[in-house]
């Protein structure tokens, strides 16, 4: 299996190069040359597979044997998921006759990104080691740099801690990350892990990271790597739990039943749900459309409504424009106003606070491809050209409108709903008071709320699986805000996991950066790498 860029199409990379490269040089994302079909007897052969078995079975379809043997792959996967607390890794919980949640947060940092990042760290280490053994004169290293407002940083740190030939530098805004999330990052004291507490905002941190990647000299010298959700290995690792969920559901409802199932996914950068799309295209039966659940940062929900992929909500900001312009001219409220006119909105589900969804480009490629008539020459190249045009428009105008036929293709596989903060809180409350009582984090609540609305269009036989992306203790503010008036609610005994006890008191290692300046960060990296 080879990989090529969504914006190009001619150059093909191995799986190893795809994983180590991340973003393609033309700005595109890598996708496989074809989506493999499931083996004929998968339903029977795989039905009692563990998470590790399923990972090996699914991932081998995307990785050539001469790059990773089955036993090498198995050993990497086993190590990656040994760090999970639950024997099933991603267990399926029944909340109602038609409502199930897939708990993706039993990994080391209690959020779903662990599933992919635990494996990604091991893949990086394996490939670098092998390259260095084959070519000892040219020692290859990787310096991973990233900015975080809390969630992704800790998952990346836990994925890469203690890995040979890899250093990781994670920038967070000092004092602006929740205490638990700050402690999760800074109590990792492995020598290759460097937490930088930058005096500034999350945006400052992100700007510094962007500047480092844009600095070609610095980048080449240190071989900067990213672990963000565009890395193909992350998508691939996430396809596995869709299969596990399917089999778990069959165990609940009886194996002879024909399952009609809809997956609903709290979505930000479109990585988690895109993995579901791959699973579907491979042949996993999904009678229901994949449900995109967004918060107020609803670029995706708007796309499925209108066919326009645009940063600012033009229908709303037309009306709001005069208001948005006024304070900007001199008032200190200018920032708020520009945010309303199209910036990222801060919500109770911060891991989904995005302006554009980086992995959406991968779906756009498949939609473009479907709409190049069959029989035409070089369909792949033509789809790449279309995607490059769309993304170019996105960059220059902040918006692009796809043809009706493309929107119709998108609607065949997906539906979408936007969920407000108020609805998020209400959903946390109703599930706490539900039977069984179940406490969810705000991201999962977005998924549950969207699922409820999507269910209204479903046939009675349809079951829903909502992906639960974080443990509620990670987002204590939203959970406490939702449940503060419930007398039976007690955060410390009902939500707080034992493992968090003492976390805040543990030894920390963190480097203070006195201002949001690229040079200061560069110096830290130069000193420590
Ligand atoms: C990253 C994240 C999401 C969004 O996942 P995407 O793959 O970016 O769509 C949802 N919930 C939590 C808790 C996350 O950390």
């Amino acid at each position: 299996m080879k990989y090529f860029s969504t914006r190009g199409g001619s150059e093909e990379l191995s799986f190893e190069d795809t994983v180590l490269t991340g973003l393609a040089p033309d700005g595109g994302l890598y996708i496989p040359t074809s989506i493999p079909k499931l083996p004929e007897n998968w339903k029977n052969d795989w039905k009692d597979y563990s998470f590790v078995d399923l990972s090996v079975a699914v991932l081998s379809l995307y990785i050539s044997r001469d790059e990773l043997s089955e036993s090498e792959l198995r050993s990497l996967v086993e190590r990656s998921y040994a760090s999970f607390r639950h024997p099933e890794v991603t267990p399926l919980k029944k909340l109602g006759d038609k409502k199930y949640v897939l708990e993706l947060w039993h990994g080391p940092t209690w959020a779903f990104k662990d599933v992919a990042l635990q494996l990604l760290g091991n893949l990086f280490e394996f490939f670098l080691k092998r390259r260095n053994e084959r070519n000892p004169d040219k020692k290859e290293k990787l310096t991973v740099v990233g900015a975080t407002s809390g969630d992704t940083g800790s998952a990346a740190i836990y994925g890469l801690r203690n890995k040979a030939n890899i250093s990781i530098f994670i920038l967070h805004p000092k004092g602006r990350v929740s205490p638990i999330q700050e402690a999760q990052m800074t109590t990792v004291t492995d020598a290759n892990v460097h937490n930088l507490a930058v005096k500034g905002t999350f945006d400052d941190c992100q700007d510094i990271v962007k500047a480092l990647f844009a600095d070609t000299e610095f980048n080449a010298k240190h071989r900067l790597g990213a672990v963000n959700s565009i890395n193909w290995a992350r998508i691939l690792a996430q396809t596995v739990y869709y299969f596990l969920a399917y089999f778990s559901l069959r165990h609940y409802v009886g194996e002879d039943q024909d399952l009609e199932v809809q997956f609903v996914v709290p979505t930000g950068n479109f990585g988690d749900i895109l993995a579901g799309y791959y699973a579907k295209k491979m042949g996993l039966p999904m009678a229901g459309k994949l449900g995109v659940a967004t918060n107020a940062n609803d670029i995706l929900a708007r796309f499925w409504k209108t066919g326009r992929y645009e940063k600012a909500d033009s229908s709303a900001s037309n009306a709001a424009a005069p208001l948005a312009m006024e304070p900007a001219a001199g008032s200190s409220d200018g920032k708020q106003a520009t945010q309303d006119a199209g910036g990222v909105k801060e919500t109770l589900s911060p891991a989904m606070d995005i302006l554009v969804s980086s992995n959406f480009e991968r779906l756009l490629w498949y939609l473009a491809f479907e709409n190049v008539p069959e029989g035409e020459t070089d369909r792949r190249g033509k789809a790449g050209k279309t995607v490059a045009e769309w993304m170019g428009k996105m960059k220059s105008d902040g918006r692009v409108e796809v043809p009706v036929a493309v929107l119709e293709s998108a609607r065949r596989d997906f539906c979408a709903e936007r969920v407000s903060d108020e609805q998020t809180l209400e959903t946390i409350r109703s599930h706490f008071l539900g039977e069984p009582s179940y406490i969810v984090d705000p991201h999962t609540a977005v998924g549950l709320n969207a699922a409820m609305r999507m269910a209204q269009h479903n046939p009675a036989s349809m079951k829903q699986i909502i992906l639960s992306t974080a443990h509620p203790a990670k987002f204590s503010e939203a959970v406490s805000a939702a449940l503060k008036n419930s007398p039976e609610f007690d955060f410390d005994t009902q939500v707080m996991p034992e493992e968090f006890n003492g976390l805040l008191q543990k030894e920390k290692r963190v480097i203070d950066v006195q201002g949001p300046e690229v040079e200061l960060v560069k110096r830290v990296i130069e000193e420590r790498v």
Side-chain angles (χ1 to χ4, degrees):
M1 177 70 80
K2 296 277 186 192
Y3 294 85
F4 65 96
S5 163
T6 47
R7 296 189 198 178
S10 51
E11 197 202 2
E12 293 185 358
L13 266 66
S14 65
F15 176 75
E16 173 177 334
D17 286 331
T18 303
V19 170
L20 288 174
T21 309
L23 191 69
D26 60 13
L29 311 188
Y30 289 113
I31 53 176
T33 46
S34 65
I35 299 180
K37 289 276 172 264
L38 295 170
E40 207 169 315
N41 292 321
W42 71 275
K43 250 188 214 179
N44 211 27
D45 295 351
W46 294 5
K47 70 177 178 350
D48 297 315
Y49 273 14
S50 66
F51 189 95
V52 166
D53 297 333
L54 275 177
S55 289
V56 174
V58 173
L59 270 54
S60 343
L61 300 172
Y62 286 90
I63 306 170
S64 307
R65 284 289 151 92
D66 54 357
E67 285 196 65
L68 270 183
S69 71
E70 190 171 322
S71 66
E72 284 166 336
L73 179 59
R74 179 168 288 275
S75 137
L76 288 170
V77 168
E78 272 171 359
R79 260 190 291 142
S80 302
Y81 299 110
S83 58
F84 279 61
R85 294 173 303 275
H86 198 286
E88 289 166 45
V89 180
T90 59
L92 188 71
K93 204 162 240 164
K94 182 172 182 174
L95 292 190
D97 244 3
K98 297 184 204 164
K99 186 163 70 175
Y100 297 77
V101 286
L102 184 64
E103 294 181 344
L104 302 177
W105 38 257
H106 293 276
T109 75
W110 303 75
F112 101 96
K113 289 187 177 66
D114 286 330
V115 179
L117 283 164
Q118 285 294 306
L119 180 68
L120 186 65
N122 283 320
L123 284 170
F124 276 162
E125 183 178 59
F126 178 88
F127 288 138
L128 285 173
K129 246 187 199 157
R130 188 166 68 183
R131 285 180 176 213
N132 289 336
E133 277 161 17
R134 285 177 182 166
N135 199 349
D137 301 335
K138 187 172 156 271
K139 195 158 160 67
E140 287 193 51
K141 290 184 177 180
L142 193 65
T143 305
V144 170
V145 185
T148 188
S149 55
D151 209 27
T152 319
S154 54
I157 287 170
Y158 274 81
L160 296 179
R161 69 188 294 182
N162 206 14
K163 297 276 183 274
N165 303 308
I166 302 172
S167 308
I168 174 165
F169 294 83
I170 295 291
L171 284 61
H172 69 264
K174 187 176 169 74
R176 297 182 191 224
V177 175
S178 82
I180 286 286
Q181 298 197 348
E182 199 253 0
Q184 277 190 324
M185 294 192 286
T186 57
T187 55
V188 178
T189 54
D190 301 69
N192 74 327
V193 173
H194 310 279
N195 279 288
L196 282 67
V198 178
K199 208 169 175 186
T201 64
F202 170 60
D203 285 339
D204 293 331
C205 294
Q206 222 169 11
D207 287 344
I208 294 172
V209 171
K210 274 190 204 145
L212 291 174
F213 275 93
D215 184 334
T216 40
E217 199 185 322
F218 189 82
N219 193 340
K221 184 171 166 200
H222 294 292
R223 178 158 191 175
L224 295 189
V227 288
N228 46 20
S229 70
I230 52 98
N231 195 299
W232 168 252
R234 287 187 56 175
I235 307 296
L236 186 54
Q238 291 166 182
T239 55
V240 175
Y241 47 69
Y242 285 88
F243 288 91
L244 190 83
Y246 177 82
F247 288 117
S248 304
L249 186 58
R250 270 181 58 182
H251 283 302
Y252 273 112
V253 302
E255 290 189 358
D256 46 342
Q257 300 277 329
D258 257 342
L259 277 191
E260 287 182 61
V261 55
Q262 171 175 49
F263 286 92
V264 182
V265 188
T267 296
N269 271 323
F270 205 72
D272 202 1
I273 195 165
L274 183 73
Y277 177 78
Y278 278 101
K280 181 175 187 180
K281 294 292 161 182
M282 289 168 76
L284 184 69
M286 291 186 197
K289 295 179 183 185
L290 281 155
V292 179
T294 79
N295 64 23
N297 296 287
D298 61 347
I299 181 167
L300 292 172
R302 284 184 279 117
F303 171 80
W304 264 280
K305 214 169 258 160
T306 64
R308 287 193 302 273
Y309 188 56
E310 54 186 349
K311 288 184 187 169
D313 183 351
S314 61
S315 56
S317 71
N318 281 344
L323 282 174
M325 294 306 289
E326 265 169 43
S331 145
S332 60
D333 268 337
K335 184 158 176 111
Q336 186 57 46
T338 48
Q339 281 191 349
D340 289 345
V344 178
K345 299 188 180 84
E346 273 185 36
T347 71
L348 293 174
S349 42
M352 289 152 55
D353 288 350
I354 46 88
L355 204 52
V356 295
S357 296
S358 44
N359 273 298
F360 188 59
E361 177 165 346
R362 286 193 165 106
L363 177 67
L364 283 176
W365 188 90
Y366 290 100
L367 298 176
F369 185 80
E370 273 176 36
N371 283 279
V372 181
E374 259 174 75
E376 274 199 30
T377 55
D378 190 25
R379 286 181 76 199
R380 195 165 105 185
K382 282 174 184 153
K385 223 171 167 176
T386 305
V387 170
E389 272 170 31
W390 287 342
M391 297 323 285
K393 274 206 187 111
M394 202 56 196
K395 192 165 181 186
S396 59
D397 308 346
R399 63 187 299 242
V400 59
E401 181 154 9
V402 302
V404 176
V406 170
L407 179 59
E408 279 169 4
S409 299
R411 284 177 176 163
R412 269 196 289 278
D413 287 315
F414 294 89
C415 57
E417 289 285 351
R418 162 203 155 115
V419 177
S420 69
D421 274 353
E422 216 163 293
Q423 291 166 326
T424 303
L425 292 172
E426 177 49 39
T427 305
I428 296 174
R429 273 193 290 274
S430 63
H431 282 82
F432 175 66
L433 298 172
E435 185 56 53
S437 174
Y438 188 67
I439 302 177
V440 295
D441 96 289
H443 305 81
T444 307
V446 168
L448 284 163
N449 188 283
M452 194 174 64
R453 277 183 263 158
M454 290 165 184
Q456 293 167 0
H457 309 286
N458 285 346
S461 47
M462 184 80 75
K463 309 219 182 281
Q464 288 181 313
I465 294 177
I466 295 95
L467 272 51
S468 174
T469 52
H471 187 278
K474 281 202 88 159
F475 297 93
S476 55
E477 275 172 48
V479 174
S480 300
L483 302 179
K484 62 175 188 270
N485 292 329
S486 301
E488 348 43 296
F489 173 67
D490 180 61
F491 190 85
D492 288 337
T493 57
Q494 292 168 345
V495 181
M496 199 67 171
E498 250 172 59
E499 288 88 340
F500 283 17
N501 287 341
L503 186 65
L504 297 175
Q505 284 77 44
K506 267 172 88 176
E507 180 197 347
K508 290 183 183 171
R509 212 161 68 86
V510 60
I511 304 154
D512 273 311
V513 178
Q514 291 310 330
E517 282 157 44
V518 183
E519 288 308 317
L520 292 177
V521 172
K522 267 191 186 172
R523 212 177 299 153
V524 172
I525 296 176
E526 296 273 353
E527 278 166 16
R528 320 243 164 178
V529 75

